[in-house]
Amino acid sequence: MSNDPHKAGEEKVRPHVYDGIQEYDNRLPNWWLWTFYGAIIFSVVYWFSWYNADIMTSDEKAIDRKMAKVEELRLASIGEISNDALWEMSGNPGFVESGQAVYQDKCVACHGPNLEGGIGQNLVDAEWKWGNQPLSVYSVVANGSPDKTAGMQAWIGELGPQKVSQVVAYVLSHHTRDEMAEATTLNTPVGL
Ligand code: HEC
Protein backbone atom coordinates (compact mmCIF):
# COMPACT_ATOMS: atom_id res chain seq x y z
CA MET A 1 0.00 0.00 0.00
CA SER A 2 2.96 2.26 -0.53
CA ASN A 3 1.16 4.22 -3.22
CA ASP A 4 -1.91 4.80 -1.04
CA PRO A 5 -2.51 8.50 -1.43
CA HIS A 6 -4.27 8.63 1.95
CA LYS A 7 -1.32 7.65 4.05
CA ALA A 8 -0.57 9.94 6.94
CA GLY A 9 1.15 13.05 5.83
CA GLU A 10 -0.03 12.75 2.24
CA GLU A 11 -3.71 13.58 2.66
CA LYS A 12 -5.25 15.40 -0.21
CA VAL A 13 -7.11 18.52 0.70
CA ARG A 14 -10.34 19.03 -1.23
CA PRO A 15 -10.41 22.25 -3.22
CA HIS A 16 -13.55 23.83 -1.78
CA VAL A 17 -13.52 26.11 1.25
CA TYR A 18 -16.48 26.93 3.46
CA ASP A 19 -16.09 29.64 6.03
CA GLY A 20 -12.37 29.11 5.85
CA ILE A 21 -12.73 25.36 6.55
CA GLN A 22 -11.16 22.83 4.21
CA GLU A 23 -11.74 19.04 4.14
CA TYR A 24 -9.35 16.15 3.72
CA ASP A 25 -10.34 13.70 0.98
CA ASN A 26 -10.03 10.69 3.30
CA ARG A 27 -11.49 7.27 2.63
CA LEU A 28 -14.15 6.20 5.10
CA PRO A 29 -12.66 3.70 7.54
CA ASN A 30 -13.61 0.03 7.01
CA TRP A 31 -15.31 -0.32 10.38
CA TRP A 32 -17.61 2.55 9.42
CA LEU A 33 -18.38 1.11 5.99
CA TRP A 34 -19.12 -2.33 7.44
CA THR A 35 -21.48 -0.84 10.00
CA PHE A 36 -23.21 1.09 7.25
CA TYR A 37 -23.63 -1.84 4.83
CA GLY A 38 -24.45 -4.14 7.74
CA ALA A 39 -27.26 -1.80 8.79
CA ILE A 40 -28.69 -1.87 5.25
CA ILE A 41 -28.59 -5.66 5.10
CA PHE A 42 -30.04 -5.92 8.61
CA SER A 43 -32.92 -3.58 7.72
CA VAL A 44 -33.90 -5.76 4.74
CA VAL A 45 -33.74 -9.00 6.74
CA TYR A 46 -35.63 -7.40 9.64
CA TRP A 47 -38.32 -5.92 7.41
CA PHE A 48 -38.78 -9.24 5.66
CA SER A 49 -39.05 -11.37 8.80
CA TRP A 50 -41.35 -8.85 10.48
CA TYR A 51 -43.85 -8.25 7.72
CA ASN A 52 -43.50 -11.05 5.21
CA ALA A 53 -42.20 -14.30 6.65
CA ASP A 54 -44.16 -15.25 9.74
CA ILE A 55 -40.95 -15.40 11.83
CA MET A 56 -41.57 -12.50 14.18
CA THR A 57 -44.95 -11.31 15.36
CA SER A 58 -45.76 -7.76 14.33
CA ASP A 59 -47.50 -5.53 16.86
CA GLU A 60 -50.68 -5.70 14.80
CA LYS A 61 -50.80 -9.47 14.93
CA ALA A 62 -49.92 -9.55 18.63
CA ILE A 63 -52.79 -7.15 19.34
CA ASP A 64 -55.19 -9.18 17.19
CA ARG A 65 -54.30 -12.28 19.16
CA LYS A 66 -54.75 -10.48 22.49
CA MET A 67 -58.11 -9.10 21.35
CA ALA A 68 -59.26 -12.58 20.31
CA LYS A 69 -58.28 -13.82 23.76
CA VAL A 70 -60.15 -10.96 25.47
CA GLU A 71 -63.16 -11.72 23.28
CA GLU A 72 -62.89 -15.40 24.20
CA LEU A 73 -62.96 -14.55 27.90
CA ARG A 74 -65.96 -12.25 27.38
CA LEU A 75 -67.82 -14.96 25.49
CA ALA A 76 -66.94 -17.53 28.13
CA SER A 77 -68.49 -15.33 30.79
CA ILE A 78 -71.84 -14.97 29.01
CA GLY A 79 -74.38 -16.40 31.43
CA GLU A 80 -77.33 -16.88 29.14
CA ILE A 81 -76.74 -18.73 25.90
CA SER A 82 -78.50 -17.27 22.85
CA ASN A 83 -78.37 -17.82 19.08
CA ASP A 84 -76.27 -14.68 18.69
CA ALA A 85 -73.87 -15.64 21.48
CA LEU A 86 -73.35 -19.08 19.92
CA TRP A 87 -72.69 -17.56 16.49
CA GLU A 88 -70.19 -15.16 18.05
CA MET A 89 -68.47 -18.07 19.77
CA SER A 90 -68.30 -19.93 16.46
CA GLY A 91 -66.31 -17.01 15.02
CA ASN A 92 -63.77 -16.96 17.84
CA PRO A 93 -60.62 -18.97 17.09
CA GLY A 94 -59.92 -19.86 20.74
CA PHE A 95 -63.47 -21.08 21.34
CA VAL A 96 -63.54 -23.13 18.18
CA GLU A 97 -60.16 -24.66 18.96
CA SER A 98 -61.29 -25.72 22.44
CA GLY A 99 -64.50 -27.07 20.90
CA GLN A 100 -62.51 -29.08 18.40
CA ALA A 101 -60.61 -30.72 21.26
CA VAL A 102 -63.89 -31.67 22.97
CA TYR A 103 -65.22 -32.98 19.65
CA GLN A 104 -62.15 -35.16 19.06
CA ASP A 105 -62.46 -36.53 22.55
CA LYS A 106 -66.19 -37.16 22.86
CA CYS A 107 -68.01 -36.92 19.54
CA VAL A 108 -65.75 -38.11 16.74
CA ALA A 109 -66.56 -41.80 17.29
CA CYS A 110 -70.22 -41.35 16.30
CA HIS A 111 -70.20 -38.20 14.16
CA GLY A 112 -67.00 -38.83 12.19
CA PRO A 113 -63.71 -36.94 11.77
CA ASN A 114 -65.28 -34.46 9.32
CA LEU A 115 -68.66 -34.28 11.09
CA GLU A 116 -70.04 -36.34 8.23
CA GLY A 117 -71.96 -38.64 10.55
CA GLY A 118 -71.98 -42.38 11.11
CA ILE A 119 -73.75 -43.77 14.14
CA GLY A 120 -74.76 -40.16 14.82
CA GLN A 121 -76.30 -37.56 12.50
CA ASN A 122 -74.37 -35.73 9.82
CA LEU A 123 -73.58 -32.32 11.37
CA VAL A 124 -72.49 -30.52 8.20
CA ASP A 125 -75.47 -31.09 5.91
CA ALA A 126 -78.54 -28.87 5.53
CA GLU A 127 -80.88 -31.12 7.50
CA TRP A 128 -81.33 -30.97 11.25
CA LYS A 129 -83.38 -33.48 13.13
CA TRP A 130 -84.05 -31.24 16.12
CA GLY A 131 -83.85 -27.71 14.78
CA ASN A 132 -81.67 -25.56 12.55
CA GLN A 133 -80.90 -22.88 15.13
CA PRO A 134 -77.82 -22.72 17.34
CA LEU A 135 -79.99 -23.00 20.46
CA SER A 136 -81.50 -26.24 19.16
CA VAL A 137 -78.08 -27.69 18.48
CA TYR A 138 -76.99 -26.61 21.96
CA SER A 139 -80.08 -28.17 23.50
CA VAL A 140 -79.64 -31.58 21.82
CA VAL A 141 -76.02 -31.70 22.90
CA ALA A 142 -76.68 -30.47 26.43
CA ASN A 143 -79.89 -32.38 27.17
CA GLY A 144 -79.68 -35.25 24.72
CA SER A 145 -82.08 -36.22 21.97
CA PRO A 146 -85.80 -36.25 22.75
CA ASP A 147 -85.95 -39.54 20.87
CA LYS A 148 -85.12 -41.90 23.66
CA THR A 149 -84.78 -44.98 21.45
CA ALA A 150 -82.50 -43.78 18.60
CA GLY A 151 -81.27 -40.92 20.68
CA MET A 152 -78.08 -39.45 21.98
CA GLN A 153 -77.21 -39.05 25.64
CA ALA A 154 -77.17 -35.66 27.40
CA TRP A 155 -73.65 -34.23 27.62
CA ILE A 156 -74.14 -31.38 30.08
CA GLY A 157 -73.39 -33.56 33.12
CA GLU A 158 -70.13 -34.87 31.74
CA LEU A 159 -68.91 -31.71 29.99
CA GLY A 160 -70.48 -28.77 31.83
CA PRO A 161 -71.93 -25.67 30.11
CA GLN A 162 -68.65 -24.19 28.93
CA LYS A 163 -67.45 -27.25 27.03
CA VAL A 164 -70.90 -27.75 25.56
CA SER A 165 -70.80 -24.14 24.26
CA GLN A 166 -67.34 -24.75 22.86
CA VAL A 167 -68.24 -27.93 21.02
CA VAL A 168 -71.42 -26.35 19.64
CA ALA A 169 -69.30 -23.38 18.48
CA TYR A 170 -67.05 -25.87 16.71
CA VAL A 171 -70.02 -27.51 14.96
CA LEU A 172 -71.41 -24.07 13.98
CA SER A 173 -68.02 -22.98 12.63
CA HIS A 174 -68.75 -25.39 9.75
CA HIS A 175 -71.88 -23.41 8.85
CA THR A 176 -73.00 -19.88 8.03
CA ARG A 177 -76.04 -18.09 9.39
CA ASP A 178 -77.72 -17.91 5.97
CA GLU A 179 -77.16 -21.53 5.17
CA MET A 180 -78.42 -22.65 8.60
CA ALA A 181 -81.51 -20.45 8.29
CA GLU A 182 -82.43 -22.24 5.05
CA ALA A 183 -81.76 -25.74 6.38
CA THR A 184 -84.59 -28.22 6.92
CA THR A 185 -85.82 -29.21 10.36
CA LEU A 186 -87.42 -32.65 10.64
CA ASN A 187 -89.10 -32.39 14.05
CA THR A 188 -90.34 -29.64 16.29
CA PRO A 189 -87.14 -27.73 17.18
CA VAL A 190 -85.93 -28.12 20.74
CA GLY A 191 -84.36 -25.54 23.05
CA LEU A 192 -86.11 -22.42 21.73
C1 HEC B 1 -72.62 -42.84 20.98
C2 HEC B 1 -72.70 -42.06 19.75
C3 HEC B 1 -72.73 -40.57 19.84
C4 HEC B 1 -71.83 -39.73 20.43
C5 HEC B 1 -70.57 -40.12 21.21
C6 HEC B 1 -72.29 -38.38 20.18
N1 HEC B 1 -73.44 -38.41 19.44
FE1 HEC B 1 -74.48 -36.80 18.73
N2 HEC B 1 -75.90 -38.00 18.03
C7 HEC B 1 -75.88 -39.39 18.07
C8 HEC B 1 -77.11 -39.91 17.51
C9 HEC B 1 -77.49 -41.37 17.36
C10 HEC B 1 -77.86 -38.76 17.16
C11 HEC B 1 -79.28 -38.77 16.56
C12 HEC B 1 -80.26 -38.56 17.67
C13 HEC B 1 -81.68 -38.71 17.23
O1 HEC B 1 -81.93 -39.43 16.24
O2 HEC B 1 -82.53 -38.08 17.86
C14 HEC B 1 -77.07 -37.60 17.49
C15 HEC B 1 -77.49 -36.30 17.29
C16 HEC B 1 -76.71 -35.19 17.49
C17 HEC B 1 -77.10 -33.87 17.16
C18 HEC B 1 -78.40 -33.42 16.56
C19 HEC B 1 -78.28 -33.39 15.06
C20 HEC B 1 -79.57 -32.97 14.37
O3 HEC B 1 -79.67 -33.27 13.17
O4 HEC B 1 -80.42 -32.32 14.98
C21 HEC B 1 -76.06 -33.06 17.48
C22 HEC B 1 -75.96 -31.55 17.29
C23 HEC B 1 -75.04 -33.89 18.04
N3 HEC B 1 -75.46 -35.20 18.03
C24 HEC B 1 -73.83 -33.44 18.51
C25 HEC B 1 -72.94 -34.22 19.24
C26 HEC B 1 -71.80 -33.71 19.94
C27 HEC B 1 -71.36 -32.25 19.95
C28 HEC B 1 -71.19 -34.77 20.55
C29 HEC B 1 -69.99 -34.75 21.48
C30 HEC B 1 -70.11 -33.98 22.66
C31 HEC B 1 -71.95 -35.96 20.20
N4 HEC B 1 -73.00 -35.58 19.42
C32 HEC B 1 -71.62 -37.24 20.60
C33 HEC B 1 -74.85 -40.18 18.52
C34 HEC B 1 -73.75 -39.71 19.22
Side-chain angles (χ1 to χ4, degrees), residues 102-103 105-111 118-123 125 127-132 136-138 140-141 144-148 150-153 155 159 163-164 167-168 171 186-187:
V102 176
Y103 185 88
D105 190 23
K106 304 287 181 193
C107 327
V108 74
C110 295
H111 290 281
I119 299 168
Q121 301 292 120
N122 180 320
L123 302 177
D125 64 4
E127 187 180 280
W128 295 90
K129 198 165 176 188
W130 300 110
N132 60 347
S136 301
V137 177
Y138 182 94
V140 187
V141 178
S145 163
D147 181 346
K148 294 299 169 203
M152 177 176 69
Q153 70 168 93
W155 289 99
L159 297 176
K163 284 192 171 156
V164 171
V167 78
V168 170
V171 172
L186 301 180
N187 296 294

Coordinates of all heavy atoms in Angstrom, one line a residue, residues 102-103 105-111 118-123 125 127-132 136-138 140-141 144-148 150-153 155 159 163-164 167-168 171 186-187, ligand 1:
V102 N -62.8 -30.9 22.3 CA -63.9 -31.7 23.0 C -64.5 -32.6 21.9 O -64.7 -33.8 22.2 CB -65.0 -30.7 23.5 CG1 -66.2 -31.5 24.0 CG2 -64.5 -29.7 24.5
Y103 N -64.6 -32.1 20.7 CA -65.2 -33.0 19.7 C -64.4 -34.2 19.4 O -64.9 -35.3 19.3 CB -65.4 -32.2 18.4 CG -66.1 -33.0 17.3 CD1 -67.4 -32.9 17.2 CD2 -65.3 -33.8 16.4 CE1 -68.1 -33.7 16.2 CE2 -66.0 -34.5 15.4 CZ -67.4 -34.5 15.3 OH -68.0 -35.2 14.4
D105 N -62.4 -35.7 21.4 CA -62.5 -36.5 22.6 C -63.8 -37.3 22.7 O -63.8 -38.5 23.0 CB -62.2 -35.6 23.8 CG -62.0 -36.5 25.0 OD1 -61.5 -37.6 24.9 OD2 -62.2 -35.9 26.1
K106 N -64.9 -36.6 22.5 CA -66.2 -37.2 22.9 C -67.1 -37.5 21.7 O -68.1 -38.2 21.9 CB -67.0 -36.2 23.8 CG -66.2 -35.8 25.0 CD -66.2 -37.0 26.0 CE -65.4 -36.5 27.3 NZ -65.1 -37.7 28.1
C107 N -67.0 -36.8 20.6 CA -68.0 -36.9 19.5 C -67.6 -37.6 18.3 O -68.4 -38.1 17.5 CB -68.5 -35.5 19.2 SG -68.5 -34.3 20.5
V108 N -66.3 -37.6 18.0 CA -65.7 -38.1 16.7 C -66.1 -39.6 16.4 O -66.4 -39.9 15.3 CB -64.2 -37.9 16.7 CG1 -63.4 -38.9 17.5 CG2 -63.7 -37.9 15.2
A109 N -66.3 -40.4 17.5 CA -66.6 -41.8 17.3 C -67.9 -42.0 16.6 O -68.0 -42.9 15.7 CB -66.6 -42.5 18.6
C110 N -68.9 -41.2 16.9 CA -70.2 -41.4 16.3 C -70.5 -40.4 15.2 O -71.3 -40.7 14.3 CB -71.3 -41.2 17.3 SG -71.3 -42.5 18.6
H111 N -69.9 -39.2 15.2 CA -70.2 -38.2 14.2 C -69.1 -38.1 13.1 O -69.3 -37.3 12.2 CB -70.5 -36.8 14.8 CG -71.8 -36.8 15.6 ND1 -73.0 -36.7 15.0 CD2 -72.0 -37.0 16.9 CE1 -74.0 -36.8 15.9 NE2 -73.4 -36.9 17.1
G118 N -72.3 -41.0 11.1 CA -72.0 -42.4 11.1 C -73.1 -43.0 12.0 O -74.3 -43.0 11.5
I119 N -72.7 -43.4 13.2 CA -73.8 -43.8 14.1 C -74.6 -42.6 14.5 O -75.9 -42.7 14.6 CB -73.1 -44.3 15.4 CG1 -72.2 -45.5 15.1 CG2 -74.1 -44.6 16.5 CD1 -71.3 -45.9 16.2
G120 N -74.0 -41.4 14.6 CA -74.8 -40.2 14.8 C -75.1 -39.4 13.5 O -74.7 -39.9 12.4
Q121 N -75.9 -38.3 13.7 CA -76.3 -37.6 12.5 C -75.1 -36.9 11.8 O -74.1 -36.7 12.4 CB -77.2 -36.4 12.9 CG -78.4 -36.7 13.7 CD -79.4 -37.4 12.8 OE1 -79.8 -38.6 13.1 NE2 -79.9 -36.8 11.7
N122 N -75.3 -36.6 10.5 CA -74.4 -35.7 9.8 C -74.6 -34.3 10.4 O -75.7 -33.8 10.5 CB -74.7 -35.8 8.3 CG -73.8 -34.9 7.5 OD1 -73.5 -33.8 7.9 ND2 -73.5 -35.4 6.3
L123 N -73.5 -33.7 10.8 CA -73.6 -32.3 11.4 C -73.2 -31.2 10.4 O -73.1 -30.0 10.8 CB -72.7 -32.3 12.7 CG -73.1 -33.3 13.7 CD1 -72.1 -33.2 14.9 CD2 -74.5 -33.2 14.2
D125 N -74.5 -31.2 7.0 CA -75.5 -31.1 5.9 C -76.5 -30.0 6.2 O -76.5 -29.4 7.3 CB -76.1 -32.5 5.6 CG -76.9 -33.0 6.7 OD1 -77.1 -32.3 7.7 OD2 -77.4 -34.1 6.6
E127 N -79.7 -30.5 6.9 CA -80.9 -31.1 7.5 C -80.6 -31.4 9.0 O -79.7 -32.0 9.3 CB -81.1 -32.5 6.8 CG -82.5 -33.1 7.2 CD -82.7 -34.4 6.5 OE1 -83.1 -34.4 5.3 OE2 -82.4 -35.5 7.1
W128 N -81.5 -30.8 9.8 CA -81.3 -31.0 11.3 C -82.5 -31.7 11.8 O -83.7 -31.3 11.5 CB -81.2 -29.6 11.9 CG -79.9 -28.9 11.5 CD1 -79.8 -28.1 10.4 CD2 -78.6 -29.1 12.1 NE1 -78.5 -27.7 10.3 CE2 -77.7 -28.3 11.3 CE3 -78.1 -29.8 13.2 CZ2 -76.4 -28.2 11.6 CZ3 -76.8 -29.7 13.5 CH2 -75.9 -28.9 12.7
K129 N -82.3 -32.7 12.6 CA -83.4 -33.5 13.1 C -84.2 -32.7 14.2 O -85.4 -32.7 14.2 CB -82.8 -34.8 13.7 CG -83.9 -35.8 13.9 CD -83.3 -37.2 14.1 CE -84.5 -38.2 14.4 NZ -84.0 -39.5 14.8
W130 N -83.4 -31.9 15.0 CA -84.1 -31.2 16.1 C -83.9 -29.7 16.1 O -84.0 -29.1 17.1 CB -83.5 -31.8 17.4 CG -83.7 -33.2 17.6 CD1 -82.8 -34.2 17.5 CD2 -85.0 -33.9 17.8 NE1 -83.4 -35.5 17.6 CE2 -84.7 -35.3 17.8 CE3 -86.3 -33.5 17.9 CZ2 -85.7 -36.2 18.0 CZ3 -87.3 -34.4 18.1 CH2 -87.0 -35.8 18.1
G131 N -83.8 -29.2 14.9 CA -83.9 -27.7 14.8 C -82.6 -27.1 14.2 O -81.5 -27.6 14.5
N132 N -82.8 -26.1 13.3 CA -81.7 -25.6 12.5 C -81.1 -24.3 13.2 O -80.4 -23.5 12.6 CB -82.1 -25.2 11.1 CG -83.2 -24.2 11.1 OD1 -83.8 -24.0 12.1 ND2 -83.5 -23.7 9.9
S136 N -81.0 -24.9 19.3 CA -81.5 -26.2 19.2 C -80.3 -27.2 19.2 O -80.4 -28.2 19.9 CB -82.3 -26.4 17.8 OG -83.3 -25.6 17.8
V137 N -79.3 -26.8 18.5 CA -78.1 -27.7 18.5 C -77.5 -27.8 19.9 O -77.2 -28.9 20.4 CB -77.0 -27.1 17.5 CG1 -75.7 -28.0 17.6 CG2 -77.5 -27.0 16.1
Y138 N -77.5 -26.6 20.6 CA -77.0 -26.6 22.0 C -77.9 -27.5 22.8 O -77.3 -28.3 23.6 CB -77.0 -25.2 22.5 CG -76.5 -25.1 23.9 CD1 -75.2 -24.7 24.1 CD2 -77.3 -25.3 25.0 CE1 -74.6 -24.7 25.4 CE2 -76.8 -25.2 26.3 CZ -75.5 -24.9 26.5 OH -75.0 -24.8 27.8
V140 N -79.8 -30.1 22.0 CA -79.6 -31.6 21.8 C -78.4 -32.1 22.5 O -78.3 -33.1 23.1 CB -79.6 -31.9 20.3 CG1 -79.6 -33.4 20.1 CG2 -80.8 -31.3 19.6
V141 N -77.3 -31.3 22.3 CA -76.0 -31.7 22.9 C -76.1 -31.7 24.4 O -75.7 -32.7 25.1 CB -74.8 -30.8 22.4 CG1 -73.5 -31.2 23.0 CG2 -74.7 -30.9 20.9
G144 N -79.5 -34.0 25.4 CA -79.7 -35.2 24.7 C -80.8 -35.2 23.8 O -81.6 -34.2 23.7
S145 N -81.0 -36.2 23.0 CA -82.1 -36.2 22.0 C -83.4 -36.6 22.6 O -83.4 -37.4 23.5 CB -81.7 -37.3 20.9 OG -82.9 -37.6 20.2
P146 N -84.5 -35.9 22.2 CA -85.8 -36.2 22.8 C -86.2 -37.7 22.4 O -87.1 -38.2 23.0 CB -86.7 -35.2 22.1 CG -85.9 -34.1 21.6 CD -84.5 -34.8 21.3
D147 N -85.6 -38.2 21.3 CA -86.0 -39.5 20.9 C -85.2 -40.5 21.7 O -84.0 -40.7 21.5 CB -85.6 -39.7 19.4 CG -85.9 -41.1 18.9 OD1 -86.2 -42.0 19.7 OD2 -85.9 -41.2 17.6
K148 N -85.9 -41.1 22.7 CA -85.1 -41.9 23.7 C -84.7 -43.3 23.2 O -84.0 -44.0 23.8 CB -85.9 -42.0 25.0 CG -86.1 -40.7 25.7 CD -84.7 -40.1 26.1 CE -84.9 -38.6 26.6 NZ -83.7 -37.8 26.4
A150 N -83.6 -43.9 19.5 CA -82.5 -43.8 18.6 C -81.5 -42.8 19.1 O -80.5 -42.5 18.6 CB -83.0 -43.3 17.2
G151 N -81.9 -42.2 20.3 CA -81.3 -40.9 20.7 C -79.8 -40.9 21.1 O -79.1 -41.9 21.1
M152 N -79.4 -39.7 21.5 CA -78.1 -39.5 22.0 C -78.2 -39.0 23.4 O -79.2 -38.4 23.8 CB -77.4 -38.3 21.2 CG -76.0 -38.0 21.7 SD -75.2 -36.7 20.6 CE -76.2 -35.3 20.9
Q153 N -77.2 -39.4 24.2 CA -77.2 -39.1 25.6 C -77.1 -37.5 25.8 O -76.7 -36.8 24.9 CB -76.0 -39.7 26.3 CG -74.7 -39.1 25.9 CD -73.5 -39.5 26.8 OE1 -72.8 -40.4 26.5 NE2 -73.3 -38.8 27.9
W155 N -75.1 -34.4 27.4 CA -73.6 -34.2 27.6 C -73.4 -33.2 28.7 O -72.2 -33.1 29.1 CB -72.9 -33.8 26.3 CG -72.9 -34.9 25.3 CD1 -73.7 -35.1 24.3 CD2 -71.9 -36.0 25.3 NE1 -73.3 -36.2 23.6 CE2 -72.3 -36.8 24.2 CE3 -70.9 -36.4 26.1 CZ2 -71.6 -37.9 23.9 CZ3 -70.2 -37.5 25.8 CH2 -70.5 -38.3 24.7
L159 N -69.8 -32.8 30.5 CA -68.9 -31.7 30.0 C -69.1 -30.4 30.7 O -68.1 -29.6 30.7 CB -69.2 -31.5 28.5 CG -68.9 -32.7 27.6 CD1 -69.4 -32.3 26.1 CD2 -67.4 -33.0 27.6
K163 N -67.9 -26.3 28.1 CA -67.4 -27.3 27.0 C -68.6 -27.5 26.0 O -68.3 -27.7 24.9 CB -66.9 -28.6 27.6 CG -65.5 -28.4 28.2 CD -64.9 -29.7 28.6 CE -63.4 -29.4 28.9 NZ -62.9 -30.5 29.8
V164 N -69.8 -27.6 26.5 CA -70.9 -27.8 25.6 C -70.9 -26.6 24.6 O -71.0 -26.7 23.4 CB -72.3 -28.0 26.3 CG1 -73.4 -27.9 25.3 CG2 -72.3 -29.3 27.0
V167 N -68.1 -26.9 22.1 CA -68.2 -27.9 21.0 C -69.3 -27.5 20.0 O -69.2 -27.8 18.8 CB -68.4 -29.4 21.6 CG1 -69.9 -29.6 22.1 CG2 -68.1 -30.4 20.6
V168 N -70.4 -26.9 20.5 CA -71.4 -26.3 19.6 C -70.8 -25.3 18.7 O -71.1 -25.2 17.5 CB -72.6 -25.8 20.4 CG1 -73.6 -25.1 19.5 CG2 -73.4 -27.0 21.1
V171 N -69.1 -27.0 16.0 CA -70.0 -27.5 15.0 C -70.5 -26.3 14.1 O -70.5 -26.4 12.9 CB -71.2 -28.2 15.6 CG1 -72.3 -28.6 14.6 CG2 -70.8 -29.5 16.3
L186 N -86.5 -31.5 10.8 CA -87.4 -32.7 10.6 C -88.5 -32.7 11.7 O -89.6 -33.2 11.5 CB -86.6 -34.0 10.6 CG -85.6 -34.1 9.5 CD1 -84.9 -35.4 9.6 CD2 -86.2 -33.9 8.1
N187 N -88.1 -32.3 12.9 CA -89.1 -32.4 14.0 C -89.3 -31.0 14.6 O -88.6 -30.0 14.2 CB -88.6 -33.3 15.1 CG -88.4 -34.7 14.7 OD1 -89.4 -35.4 14.4 ND2 -87.2 -35.2 14.5
Ligands
HEC1 C1 -72.6 -42.8 21.0 C2 -72.7 -42.1 19.7 C3 -72.7 -40.6 19.8 C4 -71.8 -39.7 20.4 C5 -70.6 -40.1 21.2 C6 -72.3 -38.4 20.2 N1 -73.4 -38.4 19.4 FE1 -74.5 -36.8 18.7 N2 -75.9 -38.0 18.0 C7 -75.9 -39.4 18.1 C8 -77.1 -39.9 17.5 C9 -77.5 -41.4 17.4 C10 -77.9 -38.8 17.2 C11 -79.3 -38.8 16.6 C12 -80.3 -38.6 17.7 C13 -81.7 -38.7 17.2 O1 -81.9 -39.4 16.2 O2 -82.5 -38.1 17.9 C14 -77.1 -37.6 17.5 C15 -77.5 -36.3 17.3 C16 -76.7 -35.2 17.5 C17 -77.1 -33.9 17.2 C18 -78.4 -33.4 16.6 C19 -78.3 -33.4 15.1 C20 -79.6 -33.0 14.4 O3 -79.7 -33.3 13.2 O4 -80.4 -32.3 15.0 C21 -76.1 -33.1 17.5 C22 -76.0 -31.6 17.3 C23 -75.0 -33.9 18.0 N3 -75.5 -35.2 18.0 C24 -73.8 -33.4 18.5 C25 -72.9 -34.2 19.2 C26 -71.8 -33.7 19.9 C27 -71.4 -32.3 20.0 C28 -71.2 -34.8 20.6 C29 -70.0 -34.8 21.5 C30 -70.1 -34.0 22.7 C31 -72.0 -36.0 20.2 N4 -73.0 -35.6 19.4 C32 -71.6 -37.2 20.6 C33 -74.8 -40.2 18.5 C34 -73.7 -39.7 19.2

